[in-house]
Amino acid sequence: MKIKAILTVMCAVATAAVMPTTASAQAFPTKPVTLVIPFAAGGPTDLLGRALAQSMAAALGTSVIVENRTGAGGTVAGGVVARAQADGHTLLLHHIGMSTAPGLYRKLAFDPMKDFEHIGQVADVPMTVIGRPGLPAKTPQELIAWMQKEKQTANLAHAGLGAASQLCGMLLQQSIGAQSTTVPFQGTAPALTALLGGQVDVMCDQTTQTIPHIKGGKVQLYAVTTPERLKPLPDTLTLREAGLKNFEVVVWHGLYAPKGTPAPVLAALNTALRKSLKDPALVKRLDEVGVQVVAENLQTPDGLRNHLKSEIDRWGALIRQAGTYAD
Ligand code: ASP
């Protein structure tokens, strides 16, 4: 299924005013930039993408259009951008799923290392473990006991194989030795709607999406997936504190362009990314929902490339151990 939601962010500066008059490699941008998001509109990746699009539009002097290309845990979007024209006008914002896809999918339409130019890392987003209203478990320990008792009658929602919610759910099940029934969605926005409606029981999701529902008392919050407690949820236990040793899922994000995008265009995109990540309005807005903009040395091609490579190795080993694959 392809969901297309478009946001056009008009920039205060007219494109024509900043474009060079002669055609050259530096003549970028010459039209609106499309930022492809691999998950459904209204979810965490979409939220971060739209916030980034707004700041990038101002930094680039053109509109940035957000396009949601969902499916197969984010890998549909990866294939779309890998095959797009390499002129800097089509970009991909993807998360940790870029590093798990090679381990999870036997037939992957792209190589995350070879088929992209790596522009820079963007931000880290923690996850929370939440449950539907009325779930009998009230604490993380009770949730673990409930999942161990219910086994496959417990429904665990996620955003498709390779999504952060699926990885988090996979680690949770592994750590507690209980296999629930997993229910995939096109993103965690529709998954959360199902959880709020009581159609699924439990899920992991980024704080960007869950904090408003937690504060509104609409979902039950059990724990955070980070090694340390979170500033916006200071009284909530980490899964480590709840007894799951070494548990950690932090959703990191990177910005990508198709392989072969000219170097001056990549430099302009990286400059715009770094400028956006210094935008105080963006940083404040993200901070309130637990998002941490990455350190400046990671907002670089090497910062993304090196992290992606080490994450591909780390998750490849964990995935082989779990024996989870898609054909
Ligand atoms: N939170 C989702 C995930 O589990 C992605 C999304 O819908 O943004 O990866």
Side-chain angles (χ1 to χ4, degrees), residues 144 146-156 166 169-182 322 324:
I144 292 167
W146 183 83
M147 287 175 75
Q148 287 167 332
K149 178 169 79 63
E150 293 293 321
K151 299 191 178 70
Q152 305 227 321
T153 46
N155 290 315
L156 179 74
Q166 186 264 329
M170 178 183 87
L171 287 183
L172 180 62
Q173 293 175 91
Q174 253 180 19
S175 320
I176 67 175
Q179 194 69 50
S180 306
T181 296
T182 51
T324 316

PDB file of all heavy atoms in Angstrom, residues 144 146-156 166 169-182 322 324:
ATOM      1  N   ILE A 144       5.726  -8.000  31.934  1.00  0.00           N
ATOM      2  CA  ILE A 144       6.558  -9.153  31.552  1.00  0.00           C
ATOM      3  C   ILE A 144       5.844 -10.454  31.946  1.00  0.00           C
ATOM      4  O   ILE A 144       5.707 -11.382  31.143  1.00  0.00           O
ATOM      5  CB  ILE A 144       7.959  -9.050  32.206  1.00  0.00           C
ATOM      6  CG1 ILE A 144       8.715  -7.868  31.587  1.00  0.00           C
ATOM      7  CG2 ILE A 144       8.750 -10.347  32.051  1.00  0.00           C
ATOM      8  CD1 ILE A 144       9.982  -7.449  32.325  1.00  0.00           C
ATOM      9  N   TRP A 146       2.695 -10.891  32.455  1.00  0.00           N
ATOM     10  CA  TRP A 146       1.471 -11.041  31.642  1.00  0.00           C
ATOM     11  C   TRP A 146       1.801 -11.589  30.254  1.00  0.00           C
ATOM     12  O   TRP A 146       1.140 -12.504  29.763  1.00  0.00           O
ATOM     13  CB  TRP A 146       0.779  -9.671  31.536  1.00  0.00           C
ATOM     14  CG  TRP A 146      -0.515  -9.712  30.783  1.00  0.00           C
ATOM     15  CD1 TRP A 146      -1.747 -10.060  31.260  1.00  0.00           C
ATOM     16  CD2 TRP A 146      -0.702  -9.391  29.394  1.00  0.00           C
ATOM     17  NE1 TRP A 146      -2.684  -9.979  30.259  1.00  0.00           N
ATOM     18  CE2 TRP A 146      -2.076  -9.577  29.102  1.00  0.00           C
ATOM     19  CE3 TRP A 146       0.148  -8.975  28.374  1.00  0.00           C
ATOM     20  CZ2 TRP A 146      -2.609  -9.344  27.831  1.00  0.00           C
ATOM     21  CZ3 TRP A 146      -0.377  -8.757  27.105  1.00  0.00           C
ATOM     22  CH2 TRP A 146      -1.749  -8.937  26.849  1.00  0.00           C
ATOM     23  N   MET A 147       2.866 -11.060  29.644  1.00  0.00           N
ATOM     24  CA  MET A 147       3.248 -11.542  28.310  1.00  0.00           C
ATOM     25  C   MET A 147       3.720 -13.002  28.384  1.00  0.00           C
ATOM     26  O   MET A 147       3.450 -13.790  27.475  1.00  0.00           O
ATOM     27  CB  MET A 147       4.348 -10.657  27.708  1.00  0.00           C
ATOM     28  CG  MET A 147       3.836  -9.289  27.266  1.00  0.00           C
ATOM     29  SD  MET A 147       5.151  -8.185  26.688  1.00  0.00           S
ATOM     30  CE  MET A 147       5.515  -8.888  25.069  1.00  0.00           C
ATOM     31  N   GLN A 148       4.412 -13.360  29.473  1.00  0.00           N
ATOM     32  CA  GLN A 148       4.883 -14.740  29.621  1.00  0.00           C
ATOM     33  C   GLN A 148       3.699 -15.699  29.806  1.00  0.00           C
ATOM     34  O   GLN A 148       3.706 -16.813  29.306  1.00  0.00           O
ATOM     35  CB  GLN A 148       5.863 -14.842  30.804  1.00  0.00           C
ATOM     36  CG  GLN A 148       7.208 -14.212  30.479  1.00  0.00           C
ATOM     37  CD  GLN A 148       8.092 -14.005  31.695  1.00  0.00           C
ATOM     38  OE1 GLN A 148       7.581 -13.838  32.818  1.00  0.00           O
ATOM     39  NE2 GLN A 148       9.402 -13.987  31.492  1.00  0.00           N
ATOM     40  N   LYS A 149       2.660 -15.220  30.504  1.00  0.00           N
ATOM     41  CA  LYS A 149       1.475 -16.054  30.736  1.00  0.00           C
ATOM     42  C   LYS A 149       0.612 -16.156  29.467  1.00  0.00           C
ATOM     43  O   LYS A 149       0.200 -17.238  29.081  1.00  0.00           O
ATOM     44  CB  LYS A 149       0.665 -15.459  31.906  1.00  0.00           C
ATOM     45  CG  LYS A 149      -0.636 -16.222  32.210  1.00  0.00           C
ATOM     46  CD  LYS A 149      -1.277 -15.791  33.507  1.00  0.00           C
ATOM     47  CE  LYS A 149      -2.066 -14.510  33.457  1.00  0.00           C
ATOM     48  NZ  LYS A 149      -3.216 -14.368  32.648  1.00  0.00           N
ATOM     49  N   GLU A 150       0.394 -15.018  28.831  1.00  0.00           N
ATOM     50  CA  GLU A 150      -0.532 -14.990  27.677  1.00  0.00           C
ATOM     51  C   GLU A 150       0.049 -15.635  26.424  1.00  0.00           C
ATOM     52  O   GLU A 150      -0.677 -16.113  25.564  1.00  0.00           O
ATOM     53  CB  GLU A 150      -0.912 -13.540  27.336  1.00  0.00           C
ATOM     54  CG  GLU A 150      -1.747 -12.832  28.392  1.00  0.00           C
ATOM     55  CD  GLU A 150      -3.134 -13.422  28.553  1.00  0.00           C
ATOM     56  OE1 GLU A 150      -3.755 -13.792  27.549  1.00  0.00           O
ATOM     57  OE2 GLU A 150      -3.576 -13.531  29.716  1.00  0.00           O
ATOM     58  N   LYS A 151       1.367 -15.595  26.293  1.00  0.00           N
ATOM     59  CA  LYS A 151       2.068 -16.075  25.072  1.00  0.00           C
ATOM     60  C   LYS A 151       1.366 -15.533  23.816  1.00  0.00           C
ATOM     61  O   LYS A 151       1.201 -14.331  23.686  1.00  0.00           O
ATOM     62  CB  LYS A 151       2.161 -17.596  25.073  1.00  0.00           C
ATOM     63  CG  LYS A 151       2.939 -18.144  26.271  1.00  0.00           C
ATOM     64  CD  LYS A 151       3.234 -19.615  26.109  1.00  0.00           C
ATOM     65  CE  LYS A 151       4.039 -20.152  27.248  1.00  0.00           C
ATOM     66  NZ  LYS A 151       3.271 -20.232  28.523  1.00  0.00           N
ATOM     67  N   GLN A 152       0.931 -16.424  22.916  1.00  0.00           N
ATOM     68  CA  GLN A 152       0.418 -15.932  21.624  1.00  0.00           C
ATOM     69  C   GLN A 152      -0.956 -15.280  21.688  1.00  0.00           C
ATOM     70  O   GLN A 152      -1.428 -14.751  20.681  1.00  0.00           O
ATOM     71  CB  GLN A 152       0.433 -17.073  20.619  1.00  0.00           C
ATOM     72  CG  GLN A 152       1.827 -17.680  20.516  1.00  0.00           C
ATOM     73  CD  GLN A 152       2.289 -17.889  19.118  1.00  0.00           C
ATOM     74  OE1 GLN A 152       1.517 -18.279  18.265  1.00  0.00           O
ATOM     75  NE2 GLN A 152       3.570 -17.676  18.866  1.00  0.00           N
ATOM     76  N   THR A 153      -1.600 -15.293  22.838  1.00  0.00           N
ATOM     77  CA  THR A 153      -2.864 -14.538  22.903  1.00  0.00           C
ATOM     78  C   THR A 153      -2.600 -13.052  23.137  1.00  0.00           C
ATOM     79  O   THR A 153      -3.502 -12.227  22.997  1.00  0.00           O
ATOM     80  CB  THR A 153      -3.832 -15.083  23.976  1.00  0.00           C
ATOM     81  OG1 THR A 153      -3.112 -15.296  25.165  1.00  0.00           O
ATOM     82  CG2 THR A 153      -4.541 -16.344  23.537  1.00  0.00           C
ATOM     83  N   ALA A 154      -1.365 -12.702  23.484  1.00  0.00           N
ATOM     84  CA  ALA A 154      -0.994 -11.273  23.589  1.00  0.00           C
ATOM     85  C   ALA A 154      -0.638 -10.775  22.191  1.00  0.00           C
ATOM     86  O   ALA A 154       0.080 -11.452  21.446  1.00  0.00           O
ATOM     87  CB  ALA A 154       0.196 -11.113  24.521  1.00  0.00           C
ATOM     88  N   ASN A 155      -1.151  -9.600  21.822  1.00  0.00           N
ATOM     89  CA  ASN A 155      -0.854  -9.020  20.497  1.00  0.00           C
ATOM     90  C   ASN A 155       0.142  -7.880  20.626  1.00  0.00           C
ATOM     91  O   ASN A 155      -0.110  -6.912  21.327  1.00  0.00           O
ATOM     92  CB  ASN A 155      -2.135  -8.470  19.857  1.00  0.00           C
ATOM     93  CG  ASN A 155      -3.060  -9.582  19.463  1.00  0.00           C
ATOM     94  OD1 ASN A 155      -2.623 -10.576  18.884  1.00  0.00           O
ATOM     95  ND2 ASN A 155      -4.328  -9.451  19.796  1.00  0.00           N
ATOM     96  N   LEU A 156       1.233  -8.015  19.914  1.00  0.00           N
ATOM     97  CA  LEU A 156       2.288  -7.002  19.943  1.00  0.00           C
ATOM     98  C   LEU A 156       2.315  -6.300  18.575  1.00  0.00           C
ATOM     99  O   LEU A 156       2.596  -6.937  17.552  1.00  0.00           O
ATOM    100  CB  LEU A 156       3.629  -7.707  20.212  1.00  0.00           C
ATOM    101  CG  LEU A 156       4.881  -6.870  20.263  1.00  0.00           C
ATOM    102  CD1 LEU A 156       4.944  -6.064  21.550  1.00  0.00           C
ATOM    103  CD2 LEU A 156       6.109  -7.765  20.169  1.00  0.00           C
ATOM    104  N   GLN A 166       9.468  -3.084  15.641  1.00  0.00           N
ATOM    105  CA  GLN A 166       9.596  -4.537  15.494  1.00  0.00           C
ATOM    106  C   GLN A 166      10.871  -5.031  16.173  1.00  0.00           C
ATOM    107  O   GLN A 166      10.871  -6.043  16.857  1.00  0.00           O
ATOM    108  CB  GLN A 166       9.587  -4.901  14.003  1.00  0.00           C
ATOM    109  CG  GLN A 166       9.571  -6.400  13.727  1.00  0.00           C
ATOM    110  CD  GLN A 166      10.957  -6.965  13.465  1.00  0.00           C
ATOM    111  OE1 GLN A 166      11.818  -6.261  12.944  1.00  0.00           O
ATOM    112  NE2 GLN A 166      11.177  -8.201  13.824  1.00  0.00           N
ATOM    113  N   GLY A 169      10.332  -4.919  19.888  1.00  0.00           N
ATOM    114  CA  GLY A 169       9.459  -6.026  20.280  1.00  0.00           C
ATOM    115  C   GLY A 169      10.185  -7.356  20.223  1.00  0.00           C
ATOM    116  O   GLY A 169      10.025  -8.208  21.099  1.00  0.00           O
ATOM    117  N   MET A 170      11.032  -7.520  19.200  1.00  0.00           N
ATOM    118  CA  MET A 170      11.792  -8.763  19.055  1.00  0.00           C
ATOM    119  C   MET A 170      12.748  -8.942  20.244  1.00  0.00           C
ATOM    120  O   MET A 170      12.821 -10.010  20.849  1.00  0.00           O
ATOM    121  CB  MET A 170      12.578  -8.708  17.736  1.00  0.00           C
ATOM    122  CG  MET A 170      13.456  -9.895  17.441  1.00  0.00           C
ATOM    123  SD  MET A 170      14.389  -9.634  15.895  1.00  0.00           S
ATOM    124  CE  MET A 170      15.834  -8.746  16.496  1.00  0.00           C
ATOM    125  N   LEU A 171      13.446  -7.858  20.611  1.00  0.00           N
ATOM    126  CA  LEU A 171      14.375  -7.929  21.754  1.00  0.00           C
ATOM    127  C   LEU A 171      13.625  -8.182  23.060  1.00  0.00           C
ATOM    128  O   LEU A 171      14.082  -8.930  23.914  1.00  0.00           O
ATOM    129  CB  LEU A 171      15.174  -6.637  21.874  1.00  0.00           C
ATOM    130  CG  LEU A 171      16.256  -6.389  20.836  1.00  0.00           C
ATOM    131  CD1 LEU A 171      16.997  -5.094  21.153  1.00  0.00           C
ATOM    132  CD2 LEU A 171      17.246  -7.549  20.775  1.00  0.00           C
ATOM    133  N   LEU A 172      12.458  -7.536  23.191  1.00  0.00           N
ATOM    134  CA  LEU A 172      11.660  -7.713  24.410  1.00  0.00           C
ATOM    135  C   LEU A 172      11.243  -9.179  24.553  1.00  0.00           C
ATOM    136  O   LEU A 172      11.431  -9.795  25.611  1.00  0.00           O
ATOM    137  CB  LEU A 172      10.431  -6.788  24.342  1.00  0.00           C
ATOM    138  CG  LEU A 172       9.472  -6.817  25.527  1.00  0.00           C
ATOM    139  CD1 LEU A 172      10.171  -6.362  26.807  1.00  0.00           C
ATOM    140  CD2 LEU A 172       8.259  -5.898  25.269  1.00  0.00           C
ATOM    141  N   GLN A 173      10.726  -9.741  23.464  1.00  0.00           N
ATOM    142  CA  GLN A 173      10.278 -11.142  23.517  1.00  0.00           C
ATOM    143  C   GLN A 173      11.448 -12.076  23.812  1.00  0.00           C
ATOM    144  O   GLN A 173      11.326 -12.999  24.609  1.00  0.00           O
ATOM    145  CB  GLN A 173       9.623 -11.531  22.194  1.00  0.00           C
ATOM    146  CG  GLN A 173       8.312 -10.804  21.937  1.00  0.00           C
ATOM    147  CD  GLN A 173       7.779 -11.137  20.552  1.00  0.00           C
ATOM    148  OE1 GLN A 173       7.024 -12.076  20.381  1.00  0.00           O
ATOM    149  NE2 GLN A 173       8.214 -10.386  19.565  1.00  0.00           N
ATOM    150  N   GLN A 174      12.585 -11.790  23.135  1.00  0.00           N
ATOM    151  CA  GLN A 174      13.787 -12.612  23.375  1.00  0.00           C
ATOM    152  C   GLN A 174      14.213 -12.543  24.833  1.00  0.00           C
ATOM    153  O   GLN A 174      14.511 -13.548  25.459  1.00  0.00           O
ATOM    154  CB  GLN A 174      14.940 -12.046  22.548  1.00  0.00           C
ATOM    155  CG  GLN A 174      15.319 -12.871  21.361  1.00  0.00           C
ATOM    156  CD  GLN A 174      16.489 -12.206  20.619  1.00  0.00           C
ATOM    157  OE1 GLN A 174      17.220 -11.368  21.151  1.00  0.00           O
ATOM    158  NE2 GLN A 174      16.651 -12.568  19.370  1.00  0.00           N
ATOM    159  N   SER A 175      14.223 -11.300  25.372  1.00  0.00           N
ATOM    160  CA  SER A 175      14.733 -11.110  26.742  1.00  0.00           C
ATOM    161  C   SER A 175      13.844 -11.770  27.786  1.00  0.00           C
ATOM    162  O   SER A 175      14.333 -12.151  28.842  1.00  0.00           O
ATOM    163  CB  SER A 175      14.821  -9.624  27.114  1.00  0.00           C
ATOM    164  OG  SER A 175      15.270  -8.869  26.068  1.00  0.00           O
ATOM    165  N   ILE A 176      12.540 -11.862  27.525  1.00  0.00           N
ATOM    166  CA  ILE A 176      11.650 -12.418  28.551  1.00  0.00           C
ATOM    167  C   ILE A 176      11.242 -13.859  28.223  1.00  0.00           C
ATOM    168  O   ILE A 176      10.500 -14.483  28.976  1.00  0.00           O
ATOM    169  CB  ILE A 176      10.383 -11.533  28.765  1.00  0.00           C
ATOM    170  CG1 ILE A 176       9.479 -11.543  27.519  1.00  0.00           C
ATOM    171  CG2 ILE A 176      10.769 -10.106  29.117  1.00  0.00           C
ATOM    172  CD1 ILE A 176       8.166 -10.789  27.721  1.00  0.00           C
ATOM    173  N   GLY A 177      11.720 -14.352  27.075  1.00  0.00           N
ATOM    174  CA  GLY A 177      11.434 -15.741  26.692  1.00  0.00           C
ATOM    175  C   GLY A 177       9.956 -15.981  26.441  1.00  0.00           C
ATOM    176  O   GLY A 177       9.416 -17.021  26.847  1.00  0.00           O
ATOM    177  N   ALA A 178       9.269 -15.024  25.808  1.00  0.00           N
ATOM    178  CA  ALA A 178       7.833 -15.207  25.515  1.00  0.00           C
ATOM    179  C   ALA A 178       7.562 -14.778  24.087  1.00  0.00           C
ATOM    180  O   ALA A 178       8.055 -13.746  23.640  1.00  0.00           O
ATOM    181  CB  ALA A 178       7.000 -14.360  26.468  1.00  0.00           C
ATOM    182  N   GLN A 179       6.794 -15.583  23.375  1.00  0.00           N
ATOM    183  CA  GLN A 179       6.469 -15.266  21.982  1.00  0.00           C
ATOM    184  C   GLN A 179       5.024 -14.788  21.897  1.00  0.00           C
ATOM    185  O   GLN A 179       4.103 -15.557  22.123  1.00  0.00           O
ATOM    186  CB  GLN A 179       6.663 -16.545  21.144  1.00  0.00           C
ATOM    187  CG  GLN A 179       6.696 -16.314  19.652  1.00  0.00           C
ATOM    188  CD  GLN A 179       7.960 -15.548  19.212  1.00  0.00           C
ATOM    189  OE1 GLN A 179       9.058 -15.931  19.580  1.00  0.00           O
ATOM    190  NE2 GLN A 179       7.767 -14.465  18.478  1.00  0.00           N
ATOM    191  N   SER A 180       4.835 -13.498  21.571  1.00  0.00           N
ATOM    192  CA  SER A 180       3.477 -12.970  21.392  1.00  0.00           C
ATOM    193  C   SER A 180       3.080 -13.124  19.929  1.00  0.00           C
ATOM    194  O   SER A 180       3.893 -13.482  19.091  1.00  0.00           O
ATOM    195  CB  SER A 180       3.434 -11.476  21.752  1.00  0.00           C
ATOM    196  OG  SER A 180       3.951 -11.260  23.036  1.00  0.00           O
ATOM    197  N   THR A 181       1.840 -12.777  19.613  1.00  0.00           N
ATOM    198  CA  THR A 181       1.426 -12.681  18.204  1.00  0.00           C
ATOM    199  C   THR A 181       1.764 -11.276  17.741  1.00  0.00           C
ATOM    200  O   THR A 181       1.335 -10.297  18.355  1.00  0.00           O
ATOM    201  CB  THR A 181      -0.092 -12.931  18.070  1.00  0.00           C
ATOM    202  OG1 THR A 181      -0.340 -14.270  18.482  1.00  0.00           O
ATOM    203  CG2 THR A 181      -0.565 -12.738  16.640  1.00  0.00           C
ATOM    204  N   THR A 182       2.557 -11.157  16.671  1.00  0.00           N
ATOM    205  CA  THR A 182       2.945  -9.817  16.224  1.00  0.00           C
ATOM    206  C   THR A 182       2.020  -9.355  15.097  1.00  0.00           C
ATOM    207  O   THR A 182       1.614 -10.142  14.242  1.00  0.00           O
ATOM    208  CB  THR A 182       4.415  -9.797  15.761  1.00  0.00           C
ATOM    209  OG1 THR A 182       4.615 -10.839  14.829  1.00  0.00           O
ATOM    210  CG2 THR A 182       5.366  -9.966  16.927  1.00  0.00           C
ATOM    211  N   ALA A 322      18.388 -14.443  16.270  1.00  0.00           N
ATOM    212  CA  ALA A 322      16.932 -14.536  16.437  1.00  0.00           C
ATOM    213  C   ALA A 322      16.295 -15.369  15.318  1.00  0.00           C
ATOM    214  O   ALA A 322      15.181 -15.884  15.467  1.00  0.00           O
ATOM    215  CB  ALA A 322      16.319 -13.134  16.440  1.00  0.00           C
ATOM    216  N   THR A 324      15.168 -14.348  12.341  1.00  0.00           N
ATOM    217  CA  THR A 324      14.016 -13.675  11.716  1.00  0.00           C
ATOM    218  C   THR A 324      14.396 -13.208  10.318  1.00  0.00           C
ATOM    219  O   THR A 324      15.366 -12.471  10.174  1.00  0.00           O
ATOM    220  CB  THR A 324      13.655 -12.402  12.540  1.00  0.00           C
ATOM    221  OG1 THR A 324      13.679 -12.726  13.907  1.00  0.00           O
ATOM    222  CG2 THR A 324      12.309 -11.842  12.138  1.00  0.00           C
TER     223      THR A 324
END
